[in-house]
Amino acid sequence: MVNFELDEEQQLIRDTVASFARDEIRPRAREADEKGQIPADLIEKGWSLGLVQSIVPEQFGGAGSSRSAITGAVIAEELAYGDLAIAMHLLAPRLVAVPVLELGTDALRRSVLPRFCGERFEPASAAVMEPRMDFDAMAPALTLRRDGNSYALSGEKCFVPVGNEARQFLVLASLVNGIEAPHPRALLIDRETPGLVIGERERNMGLKALVTTRLAFDDCRVSEDKLLQGGHAGIMRLASLWRVAQSAMAVGVAHAAFDYAREYAKERRAFGQAIAQKQAIAFMLADMAMEVDAMRLLTWEAAWKLDRNEDATREAHLAKRYTADMALKITDNAVQVLGGHGYIRDHLVELFLRNARSFAMLEGLAIA
Amino acid sequence: MIDYELSSDLAATREQLHMVAKHAMRPIARDYDEREHETPWDFINMMWQLSKNSGVGPGRESRDRTEPRMEERNLRTCIAVEELSWGDAGLYLAMAGPGLGGAAVMAAGTPEQKERFLSRFKGDKPVWSAMAITEPAAGSDSAAIQTTAVRDGDHWVLNGTKIFCTSGLMAGDPSKSNGFVVVWATVDRSAGRAGIKSFIVDAGTPGMTVAKCEDKMGIRASDTAMLVFEDCRIPLDHILGSPDVPKTSEGFKGVMATFDATRPIVAASAIGVGRAALDFLREELTRQNIPIRYGMAVHNLSVIERDFMDMEANLQAARLLTWRAAWMMDRGQKNNLEASMAKAKAGLVVTQVTQKAVEILGPLGYSRDTLLEKWMRDAKINDIFEGTQQINMLIIARRILGYSSKELS
């Protein structure tokens, strides 16, 4: 029966995360972007919210809360409302924890998940993207070859969040075995693995507070027990979970830009009245409000399908596409509402626009 | 708890009406588009009987309106209307039933008025009611209407001209049905909005004339009438709501609240037309072995795939906004903002979706041999009636900014 209301637990989580994003993240977003660094105490405070630990089952030391893609989307949206780069950093450990929970063998879960239940932030990441224009997450150029009892990785990844600190990475590679057509497999790799070279920090237009690096794999050896299970459907499910989280983050950024522009337009006066009283501005703001709601409804639909263990490839794809386009349009309009002031770094809307530009390009930077 | 799945009851309604749309509406859709001003009586009578016998269809909604506590009433209407409009928007609009006039009685009538006027929809013969607001010199600015209602002893006397009245012929002409028209008129021009009241005028009341039916771009199976009122006398108790002229414009707001219920329905109709076009496009692409590959990297998608996905996502966005607005109303929540969002988005989206579908299919889309070009013509009305896209954006803007109509005009 159709219902668009979060349950009580989800509402509580949303309110808690929203307060943190507004009170703790937002005031430090500009400085973090300028310095290219997120304050360590903010990361620890974010960790203490338990957004990662809570989804780990009790037997592995976590709180064992029921995990839901909708709840994950709610968390991602609210954090991203504060700041996208900081949200991605805080949620980066989920990039390993969620895939292991979903598709890991029991042995892998036992060895990996307890690490995410400690007192301190546990840096982890995913290496999904590759430095080429025609990158396709479902057909990585990074190759995985079987060699005796182990596998060898060769190739390159880019835009790996928290790559400077992550102790382990989820990696997406194409298994090439000479029998079947190459197909994507997900696996875990430790930072210290011989042959894995962590590259220099990347310099990006936005998300400047988030450290991203390249990874080079030079005949890098991984044992079979590090491979995730679930076959092609499992990989597609991971992709949908990434897309839902990124869609939710796009909602958060768009909502932030809308709120910022609305408040400015009500204050700023021209021709004897607030500019929000002019239809040219008011209609832009109305469109933003309408689209933020539409974006969220589409995102939740994909998440809802994932929570029912149904194939959500179509819904997640459409949500990601729609939210990426709309987040860009809305943040651009927010800059436009502020006019010249929007272009100046005293205001946050230019940061929202630079960050929102990333959504259409990103794959695997967050997971619901 | 978030849930996007229709209850089994609503899913069954949808299933049944889809069959009606496919087998009873599609085959005659072109015909009644070409033969404008002919009433599709066979279809109307069939739908009237169907709704009486099986409890399916808008006739059911008419009965439901007299049972206000019924669960999911507004969402059910949206589901039903999307299916029927997928069949044909013009035929859907031509169907007998309480329509907008009934909605106004339901929203603002006394229990006695509801019983008296809505019970007509339970009879054996099809009955229409209509809503007359727009005038030659007052469209979106409905507070500027010039039609007057003057009290004269035991009667109200109406004078003025109304245009663009959907089903005005069927509701207002006694040879068509025992219907009624809800007419907006001012009892005190100097009072502005506060002076505007709505009145129920029975079909055949002397002084009310159906002056003409418009020739239109689309939705041609449905009549759009001009009604002229010349010293039209109606009983005093045919006014909806209080006859007093308040100091504030609260009364006008009450009248406008009807739109909170009807805008999601119009949005649902729009979505039905958009879905018809999208379904047709998908079938044609499949026939020509052009796949829509979801989950594929954007660089590898064709322009047609990208266009199709954008159309699909936009249509679903409009549908979800519509469902939400109806769902809120079913829960008794105020949905003024959400109803306008649904209407603004749906009207715009289906206009774009149908036009893009015609573009993609080229000569096949432009040809009158298929229904696509008709759907494009039908779709456009949803961007206009029941509040244009722009009026709905204005309402959204006022709500999100906390402005009155004076502060943002």
Side-chain angles (χ1 to χ4, degrees):
Chain A
M1 185 167 159
V2 171
N3 191 342
F4 296 106
E5 190 173 57
L6 296 171
D7 66 29
E8 279 182 30
E9 189 191 344
Q10 288 166 332
Q11 290 180 32
L12 188 68
I13 292 171
R14 179 189 60 193
D15 295 347
T16 306
V17 178
S19 302
F20 180 76
R22 283 163 172 77
D23 301 340
E24 305 282 346
I25 297 180
R26 178 61 71 78
R28 301 167 87 171
R30 171 57 74 187
E31 194 187 346
D33 183 75
E34 296 284 336
K35 286 189 173 169
Q37 193 179 356
I38 302 168
D41 69 298
L42 185 59
I43 293 167
E44 294 305 329
K45 264 189 195 166
W47 183 254
S48 69
L49 291 176
L51 303 177
V52 181
Q53 305 93 308
S54 63
I55 59 169
V56 176
E58 284 174 14
Q59 61 189 110
F60 305 120
S65 305
S66 59
R67 196 163 56 81
S68 138
I70 290 176
T71 309
V74 168
I75 291 168
E77 178 189 335
E78 293 302 337
L79 287 177
Y81 181 94
D83 182 73
L84 182 61
I86 296 171
M88 284 179 169
H89 188 114
L90 293 178
L91 294 179
R94 287 175 72 116
L95 290 168
V96 167
V98 172
V100 168
L101 265 168
E102 291 259 349
L103 307 171
T105 60
D106 283 344
L108 198 62
R109 289 183 194 184
R110 273 197 302 277
S111 77
V112 169
L113 294 176
R115 300 193 205 183
F116 294 105
C117 303
E119 296 288 308
R120 303 288 305 275
F121 180 80
E122 170 67 25
S125 181
V128 174
M129 300 189 50
E130 296 176 349
R132 53 199 175 88
M133 199 189 84
D134 62 345
F135 160 70
D136 183 345
M138 293 302 112
L142 180 74
T143 57
L144 180 70
R145 271 173 217 285
R146 181 157 203 146
D147 183 13
N149 286 331
S150 68
Y151 287 81
L153 280 165
S154 294
E156 196 181 12
K157 290 284 179 182
C158 74
F159 225 88
V160 180
V162 205
N164 58 328
E165 295 174 9
R167 287 196 258 270
Q168 43 190 347
F169 301 90
L170 175 96
V171 175
L172 206 60
S174 286
L175 182 64
V176 185
N177 59 11
I179 301 164
E180 305 161 85
H183 56 277
R185 289 297 300 261
L187 59 140
L188 283 197
I189 186 166
D190 286 331
R191 183 182 188 83
E192 284 77 25
T193 310
L196 172 62
V197 180
I198 314 269
E200 289 295 297
R201 178 175 185 170
E202 293 168 327
R203 292 153 50 84
N204 295 307
M205 175 172 92
L207 293 171
K208 285 162 67 180
L210 180 72
V211 177
T212 68
T213 64
R214 290 203 178 186
L215 295 187
F217 300 81
D218 180 16
D219 197 30
C220 189
R221 298 288 162 147
V222 201
S223 56
E224 179 157 18
D225 59 0
K226 293 296 180 72
L227 265 61
L228 299 191
Q229 310 302 306
H232 189 255
I235 294 283
M236 292 311 287
R237 183 169 167 85
L238 283 189
S240 293
L241 286 164
W242 293 330
R243 288 167 186 157
V244 163
Q246 288 176 191
S247 298
M249 287 180 166
V251 181
V253 173
H255 191 195
F258 160 61
D259 277 353
Y260 201 103
R262 180 185 56 190
E263 294 316 305
Y264 181 89
K266 289 184 78 172
E267 292 295 319
R268 174 73 179 183
R269 297 181 74 80
F271 308 104
Q273 56 183 178
I275 61 170
Q277 290 175 269
K278 304 287 185 193
Q279 286 192 354
I281 301 296
F283 280 25
M284 283 164 94
L285 295 169
D287 191 59
M288 292 180 192
M290 182 175 84
E291 292 300 352
V292 167
D293 283 7
M295 289 161 77
R296 187 182 296 115
L297 289 168
L298 284 175
T299 302
W300 284 0
E301 185 177 26
W304 168 79
K305 283 203 89 170
L306 287 167
D307 282 345
R308 285 158 58 105
N309 278 316
E310 291 174 23
D311 178 28
T313 304
R314 171 174 161 270
E315 288 75 13
H317 179 110
L318 293 180
K320 193 212 158 185
R321 198 175 158 75
Y322 191 86
T323 55
D325 284 354
M326 282 302 168
L328 188 59
K329 179 182 166 192
I330 289 168
T331 52
D332 184 66
N333 277 342
V335 171
Q336 196 68 23
V337 167
L338 271 74
H341 293 279
Y343 203 72
I344 306 295
R345 300 220 298 277
D346 290 347
H347 287 285
L348 282 171
V349 284
E350 66 82 31
L351 184 153
F352 296 149
L353 172 56
R354 285 187 289 114
N355 284 350
R357 179 66 274 183
S358 67
F359 287 119
M361 168 232 5
L362 296 182
E363 283 277 13
L365 262 283
I367 194 159
Chain B
M1 172 126 168
I2 304 288
D3 193 353
Y4 284 71
E5 189 174 45
L6 295 178
S7 61
S8 56
D9 190 24
L10 290 201
T13 297
R14 179 165 71 173
E15 197 70 16
Q16 284 170 298
L17 288 178
H18 186 72
M19 287 300 123
V20 170
K22 191 172 173 183
H23 299 297
M25 300 175 87
R26 283 287 176 88
I28 60 170
R30 172 60 71 185
D31 212 26
Y32 282 101
D33 179 64
E34 306 260 333
R35 294 188 289 144
E36 195 172 10
H37 306 304
E38 280 187 36
T39 306
W41 278 113
D42 288 349
F43 170 71
I44 287 166
N45 287 324
M46 186 207 75
M47 288 307 288
W48 192 259
Q49 291 309 318
L50 181 71
S51 70
K52 277 171 59 73
N53 298 336
S54 73
V56 171
R60 173 167 179 184
E61 263 62 64
S62 71
R63 279 183 283 279
D64 292 347
R65 279 182 206 288
T66 59
E67 299 164 29
R69 299 301 308 166
M70 198 184 124
E71 206 176 41
E72 297 195 290
R73 182 158 52 88
N74 289 283
L75 186 60
R76 174 191 304 279
T77 305
C78 286
I79 299 299
V81 166
E82 178 181 333
E83 286 314 311
L84 294 169
S85 300
W86 180 90
D88 187 80
L91 290 168
Y92 148 65
L93 284 167
M95 283 166 51
L100 299 180
V105 174
M106 191 62 206
T110 62
E112 187 276 325
Q113 284 172 326
K114 285 181 195 173
E115 171 56 32
R116 179 149 49 112
F117 292 102
L118 297 180
S119 61
R120 296 182 193 186
F121 299 104
K122 296 176 181 172
D124 288 334
K125 280 187 171 169
V127 175
W128 284 260
S129 75
M131 182 88 137
I133 305 175
T134 301
E135 298 181 359
S140 293
D141 184 7
S142 43
I145 56 173
Q146 299 293 309
T147 298
T148 54
V150 176
R151 189 170 169 170
D152 179 20
D154 291 342
H155 289 85
W156 291 100
V157 183
L158 302 184
N159 276 288
T161 300
K162 293 290 179 183
I163 59 170
F164 301 165
C165 178
T166 300
S167 297
L169 174 69
M170 306 310 280
D173 181 339
S175 74
K176 304 292 184 186
S177 83
N178 179 30
F180 62 86
V181 183
V182 173
V183 182
W184 284 26
T186 174
V187 294
D188 180 359
R189 262 188 217 171
S190 66
R193 290 156 190 274
I196 293 175
K197 303 287 170 186
S198 46
F199 301 87
I200 303 168
V201 183
D202 276 319
T205 305
M208 176 168 76
T209 322
V210 180
K212 72 162 175 175
C213 289
E214 306 287 350
D215 302 329
K216 301 191 299 294
M217 175 182 172
I219 54 163
R220 291 180 182 162
S222 159
D223 80 81
T224 304
M226 172 193 264
L227 300 172
V228 176
F229 298 87
E230 290 168 306
D231 291 330
C232 177
R233 299 176 73 85
I234 56 169
L236 275 190
D237 62 0
H238 278 215
I239 189 169
L240 284 174
S242 156
D244 300 335
V245 177
K247 291 277 188 293
T248 66
S249 58
E250 285 305 314
F252 187 70
K253 276 187 193 159
V255 178
M256 297 301 278
T258 311
F259 288 121
D260 298 343
T262 57
R263 281 184 176 139
I265 300 174
V266 174
S269 174
I271 291 157
V273 179
R275 197 183 100 212
L278 207 59
D279 286 352
F280 181 75
L281 179 58
R282 188 190 287 108
E283 283 164 23
E284 281 304 314
L285 295 178
T286 305
R287 215 165 56 82
Q288 297 179 40
N289 293 318
I290 300 173
I292 307 294
R293 296 164 298 170
Y294 302 101
M296 177 79 75
V298 69
H299 319 84
N300 299 324
L301 296 176
S302 68
V303 172
I304 286 180
E305 284 178 297
R306 293 191 202 186
D307 279 348
F308 189 89
M309 287 172 179
D310 288 343
M311 293 157 83
E312 205 178 0
N314 269 290
L315 194 68
Q316 182 64 4
R319 181 182 287 117
L320 293 176
L321 287 172
T322 302
W323 285 12
R324 180 182 65 163
W327 167 82
M328 287 177 74
M329 189 148 230
D330 285 331
R331 288 157 52 102
Q333 292 175 318
K334 285 213 181 307
N335 72 339
N336 177 254
L337 170 67
E338 292 78 9
S340 278
M341 283 181 174
K343 169 65 173 68
K345 179 74 177 172
L348 175 64
V349 162
V350 299
T351 301
Q352 291 173 338
V353 162
T354 51
Q355 291 182 6
K356 196 73 187 177
V358 168
E359 180 194 318
I360 290 174
L361 291 176
L364 184 62
Y366 203 71
S367 165
R368 296 216 315 261
D369 288 345
T370 68
L371 287 168
L372 184 57
E373 63 82 29
K374 176 186 180 302
W375 294 329
M376 190 197 108
R377 289 186 283 110
D378 289 345
K380 185 60 196 172
I381 191 59
N382 296 292
D383 213 10
I384 300 170
F385 69 5
E386 209 69 3
T388 62
Q389 181 197 146
Q390 287 69 25
I391 283 296
N392 281 293
M393 292 309 272
L394 195 57
I395 291 167
I396 296 167
R398 283 176 189 152
R399 291 296 310 268
I400 59 168
L401 290 161
Y403 284 155
S404 65
S405 50
K406 268 204 189 74
E407 289 167 309
L408 179 60
S409 60

